[in-house]
Amino acid sequence: QVSTQSTGFCKQKMMKRAPSSLFYHRNINNYSSKPLNQFRTFTSQKKPDLDLIVTATGPDRVGCTLSVLKVINRFDGNVHSGRMTKLGGSFCIMMLVNIKSEDHDSLLSDLKGVEGMDISVHKTEKNTSTKTLQKQRVLKLSGADHPGILHSICEFFYKEGINIDDMFTTTTLAPFSGQPLFQLETVISLPVNVTNAHLENQIKKLSDSLGADIWIESNTK
């Protein structure tokens, strides 16, 4: 039993735990209750067993993300993680989606029918890597923008055996000079044999060669 008091928003005062079959979802707009068994569940049917990477790119417009998600939802697809961002005049979507393997061909066909979006789908294996084998760090960089700066950073990572787990870059204007400023934040995995002293020494050399500020933090995420 749920007791509520309305003060602009629905505030819950007290809830007694009910059996799972009687669990209710409270809608704060109309105070209606919806039994959990009305939501889609996989307990009595085949569970999703296929991981897909879905990428979609198209002209930026209202609703482009929804048009892709409608198709995924049609097949009870579950979006585990993703990135969505505007690049130039285009909007880019990248998602890890879990579906039933038997729906793969139909999903691919329906996604190709999404108007105005260039969509590709790739199968991927579940991540079985163990974080204990590598040390994870966050590297941040800020410096004058120029052609080849990202190439130099990635070349450094390659030579040091450093793996990129996640990366975000952007270009802004410096506050006083108004010159383009390149900024980068990346989560990296270091080989177990890389010492902090060696990494700091190599990062200093990279910073000097690029004329950029670079610092490393522990990954607390």
Side-chain angles (χ1 to χ4, degrees):
Q1 182 179 356
V2 180
S3 175
T4 60
Q5 179 179 356
S6 177
T7 57
F9 289 93
C10 177
K11 293 184 177 180
Q12 178 179 311
K13 294 179 64 178
M14 178 185 70
M15 174 181 286
K16 293 183 179 179
R17 185 174 180 179
S20 57
S21 60
L22 298 178
F23 182 82
Y24 283 87
H25 167 74
R26 176 67 63 180
N27 185 318
I28 64 173
N29 294 319
N30 56 21
Y31 307 103
S32 64
S33 297
K34 187 175 184 179
L36 186 62
N37 59 16
Q38 289 187 22
F39 292 97
R40 280 176 293 189
T41 177
F42 300 110
T43 56
S44 60
Q45 56 182 318
K46 184 179 179 181
K47 295 182 179 180
D49 58 347
L50 179 63
D51 286 334
L52 301 173
I53 295 176
V54 178
T55 59
T57 306
D60 185 41
R61 59 179 174 83
V62 175
C64 58
T65 302
L66 180 61
S67 62
V68 177
L69 291 175
K70 278 184 176 180
V71 176
I72 295 173
N73 189 60
R74 192 180 303 155
F75 294 93
D76 293 333
N78 186 35
V79 178
H80 285 293
S81 59
R83 300 286 188 277
M84 304 175 193
T85 187
K86 182 178 178 181
L87 295 174
S90 298
F91 192 76
C92 305
I93 303 169
M94 181 171 60
M95 297 180 291
L96 176 62
V97 179
N98 188 232
I99 65 166
K100 296 188 289 292
S101 54
E102 61 196 44
D103 291 333
H104 173 266
D105 293 343
S106 297
L107 173 69
L108 184 59
S109 177
D110 285 10
L111 284 173
K112 288 182 177 179
V114 176
E115 185 177 357
M117 300 294 288
D118 183 13
I119 301 177
S120 62
V121 178
H122 302 277
K123 295 181 182 179
T124 182
E125 300 296 329
K126 292 185 180 297
N127 186 7
T128 57
S129 63
T130 56
K131 292 183 178 180
T132 56
L133 298 179
Q134 294 178 318
K135 297 175 288 186
Q136 206 171 52
R137 298 288 187 271
V138 176
L139 181 144
K140 298 180 181 181
L141 177 148
S142 179
D145 186 38
H146 60 81
I149 185 171
L150 186 57
H151 171 268
S152 298
I153 297 166
C154 292
E155 185 177 44
F156 166 78
F157 288 159
Y158 174 75
K159 290 180 178 179
E160 293 295 324
I162 296 172
N163 190 55
I164 300 171
D165 296 329
D166 196 11
M167 180 181 285
F168 171 79
T169 67
T170 187
T171 304
T172 60
L173 296 179
F176 298 108
S177 66
Q179 296 298 313
L181 187 67
F182 180 80
Q183 295 179 313
L184 173 148
E185 181 173 337
T186 178
V187 179
I188 55 177
S189 292
L190 310 176
V192 291
N193 59 348
V194 172
T195 64
N196 289 335
H198 171 80
L199 183 62
E200 290 175 3
N201 182 57
Q202 296 304 108
I203 288 294
K204 184 179 184 304
K205 292 180 180 179
L206 178 65
S207 175
D208 292 341
S209 67
L210 295 177
D213 295 325
I214 304 177
W215 62 99
I216 293 182
E217 303 172 353
S218 297
N219 184 26
T220 56
K221 295 180 181 179

